[in-house]
Amino acid sequence: MPRLVAISRTIFSNWTLALGVLLLLAIILMALSAPYVFPGDPYDMVAPALTWPGTMPEVPLGTDSLGRDIAAGIFHGARVSLMVGFIAVCFALVIGILVGSLAGYYGGWVDDVLMRVTELFQTIPQFMLAIVIIAVLGTSIEAVVMSLGIVSWPTVARLVRSEFLILRERAFVHSCLVIGMSDLRIIFTQILPNALSSITVMSSVLMATAILMESALSFLGFGDPNVITWGTMIGMGRGQIRDAWYIIAIPGAALLITALALNLVGEGLNDALNPRLRKREV
Amino acid sequence: MSYLGKRLVHVVLTVLGIAIINFFLLQLAPGDAADVLAGEAGTADPEYLANLRREFGLDQPMLHQLWAFLQRLFMFDFGYSYRHNMPVSTLIFERIPATLILVGSSIAMALVFGILLGVVAARTAGRLPDKLISLASLLFYATPPFWIGLMMIVVFSVKLGWTPTGGMSDIISNKTGLAYVLDVMRHLALPAITQAVFYLAIYTRLVRAGMLEVLSLEYIRVARAKGISENRIAYHHALRNAIFPLITVAGTNLGAFLGGAVLTETVFSWPGVGRLMFDAMFQRDLNLLLSILVLSSIFVVLVNLAVDLLYALINPTVELR
């Protein structure tokens, strides 16, 4: 309990983190409550088509060209965005931590080879690679997650490697070596925990990027056609850009708020976890 | 010169790696490479497919196939697109100028305004202009760029009628000379801004951080003591050193700009490589998709080589290893 108090004190002494956490909690709540607040398929027609927001109490955010409730789409879309972003980041973390820790810990030719591969993946235009992977695997939510993971891991690998390069020279690592601890144990039980704060900060920013990229893919129509996402909603509203721009504006605002929340959390965590690295403010 | 040699070996290895990744993506695709190369499974006649398989050695072991694939790549032979009825290489090369104009102007815009805003923010650190610029960059960093593009169409094209909604030039008026250039620029404005804002946000933050660091150094204090004006110190003495990291970052962002072009060109029907990729995806023209990916990646590698060499030339403190 005192730990919880300490955590919330840290959160609220830092407005960036506080605002980010509050916004993020609101979006998570939306995602969790979607099946109860809007039971039924968000693809169903519920009201006259192209109802403007605020003109009909049943559909507060209006309807699109097929009479689908935009509010329902926003709630259900939050589930997809958060889930896709989260799983894609986990995927990227697994590959990135593995590659980065081995490269940073062993150095030498292992480092050379692994970093060349990492650089290679950073050279290829990420978004184009994601599109090609989806073209090969087919348009499904799994393919989207997979493609986002594959384009995101190099960032993780580079960060983890740089942390390992510094940490492996520390005295506590040398003492682990002296008492005969195995390399794998040193990597995963001794060095990795020390790198976790940087990895956490990066993960939240990475998740924002993944969510934005997912929205871009589904906006282009390369997402799973059976799941409603904010990007899909924007893509479907393009035809009505002249007379019903709110169809595009509302899901875009939802995306903006979500990515903003995650970036704020990342920045706030950075200040809270790495006080030494706090940006030089005059 | 051994530095240049090492860099060239690196470039060759990278291009080889790109080709290998593409080869394996091709292997993952349903059907075999002949189906893919013929455009789409089922549309080409069986005899042609059998011919293709023999020609490309698809009955050979995997390593031989990879070798054949590399040979075709270095001959710039990307096959034939039956959808567009022309060789893939011609198809792509025709679209390159439009994409270069878009990507080039958006990078330039992001750099120029990023540097200006970053310097202003650093010089007013902690005060109102800095806070406003930081807030704006935080917001733009979190906004999906394609959505900014759509919202700008709503405001500037639909409501105000200042700019066209898409395309690269007026088809009807058929302008020439200066009138044509101005027309293209009018069409270019919104897509270039759309592409630029996200990186503008990043560059502003980078320049701000770099300037704050440099402005606290001894030589700046010496310059102040000599009575040099604050403007000259900021733009002449400090900025030079603060923007060095920016050059490398912008170079590594090139791939992201090209990827972003797929979105921007789709939103604004800009007739470039990105739009071609979008069409290829819808037509399931996997060979065209892979060719665009390979060529874009090679382009990124070459530009980064140029940036590195340029960087070494303008920054004498870089040791050529």
Side-chain angles (χ1 to χ4, degrees), chain B residues 177-225:
Chain B
L178 189 65
Y180 176 75
V181 174
L182 286 175
D183 190 37
V184 170
M185 279 173 75
R186 219 165 58 88
H187 284 79
L188 178 63
L190 291 190
I193 296 173
T194 303
Q195 280 262 80
V197 276
F198 183 78
Y199 296 93
L200 175 59
I202 298 180
Y203 299 160
T204 304
R205 288 172 152 215
L206 269 175
V207 172
R208 179 183 179 275
M211 281 293 282
L212 284 182
E213 196 166 323
V214 172
L215 282 175
S216 67
L217 295 177
E218 283 291 310
Y219 80 94
I220 296 294
R221 197 183 311 173
V222 173
R224 283 210 178 104

Side-chain angles (χ1 to χ4, degrees), chain A residues 145-167:
Chain A
V145 170
M146 188 97 99
S147 68
L148 294 178
I150 290 176
V151 300
S152 311
W153 69 265
T155 329
V156 183
R158 292 187 83 114
L159 174 88
V160 173
R161 171 181 175 266
S162 65
E163 291 279 317
F164 267 65
L165 280 181
I166 301 167
L167 288 169

Side-chain angles (χ1 to χ4, degrees), chain A residues 116 119-120 123 125 127-128 135-136 215-216 219-220 222 234 238 248-249 252 256 259-260 263-264 267 280-281, chain B residues 10 14 28 138 141-143 146-147 150 205 208 212-213 255 259 263 266-267 277-278 281-282 289 296-297 301:
Chain A
R116 280 287 148 82
E119 274 170 29
L120 187 62
T123 308
F127 192 66
M128 288 185 169
V136 169
S215 77
F219 163 72
L220 291 176
F222 304 156
I234 299 178
R238 263 188 83 191
I248 298 171
L256 166 59
L260 184 67
N263 283 332
L264 287 176
E267 207 160 293
R280 263 168 289 245
E281 299 289 344
Chain B
H10 186 207
T14 314
L28 274 176
L138 196 63
Y141 188 65
T143 319
F146 67 91
W147 183 70
L150 289 168
R205 288 172 152 215
R208 179 183 179 275
L212 284 182
E213 196 166 323
L263 282 159
T266 305
V267 169
M277 191 165 197
F278 174 80
M281 182 72 180
F282 260 94
L289 280 174
S296 311
S297 311
V301 174

Side-chain angles (χ1 to χ4, degrees), chain A residues 102-171:
Chain A
L102 292 179
Y105 184 79
Y106 287 109
W109 68 269
V110 180
D111 185 30
D112 274 348
V113 171
L114 289 177
M115 277 304 112
R116 280 287 148 82
V117 175
T118 311
E119 274 170 29
L120 187 62
F121 273 89
Q122 284 194 310
T123 308
I124 300 177
Q126 289 191 337
F127 192 66
M128 288 185 169
L129 181 60
I131 290 178
V132 172
I133 292 173
I134 291 173
V136 169
L137 298 178
T139 47
S140 65
I141 195 112
E142 292 85 3
V144 172
V145 170
M146 188 97 99
S147 68
L148 294 178
I150 290 176
V151 300
S152 311
W153 69 265
T155 329
V156 183
R158 292 187 83 114
L159 174 88
V160 173
R161 171 181 175 266
S162 65
E163 291 279 317
F164 267 65
L165 280 181
I166 301 167
L167 288 169
R168 72 162 182 194
E169 299 303 335
R170 289 278 199 64

Side-chain angles (χ1 to χ4, degrees), chain B residues 244-258:
Chain B
F244 277 132
L246 195 62
I247 298 170
T248 336
V249 172
T252 51
N253 283 156
L254 181 66
F257 272 98
L258 287 175

Side-chain angles (χ1 to χ4, degrees), chain A residues 77 80-93 126-127 130 134 141 143-153 155-156 202-219 229-231 255 258-260 262-263, chain B residues 141-142 144-146 198 263:
Chain A
V80 184
S81 281
L82 290 180
M83 199 185 67
V84 167
F86 184 75
I87 303 178
V89 168
C90 291
F91 193 92
L93 283 178
Q126 289 191 337
F127 192 66
I134 291 173
I141 195 112
V144 172
V145 170
M146 188 97 99
S147 68
L148 294 178
I150 290 176
V151 300
S152 311
W153 69 265
T155 329
V156 183
M202 144 165 292
S203 304
S204 83
V205 179
L206 209 58
M207 186 164 156
T209 320
I211 287 178
L212 290 184
M213 219 188 275
E214 185 280 326
S215 77
L217 286 170
S218 38
F219 163 72
T229 76
W230 294 337
L255 275 168
T258 310
L260 184 67
L262 285 163
N263 283 332
Chain B
Y141 188 65
F146 67 91
F198 183 78
L263 282 159

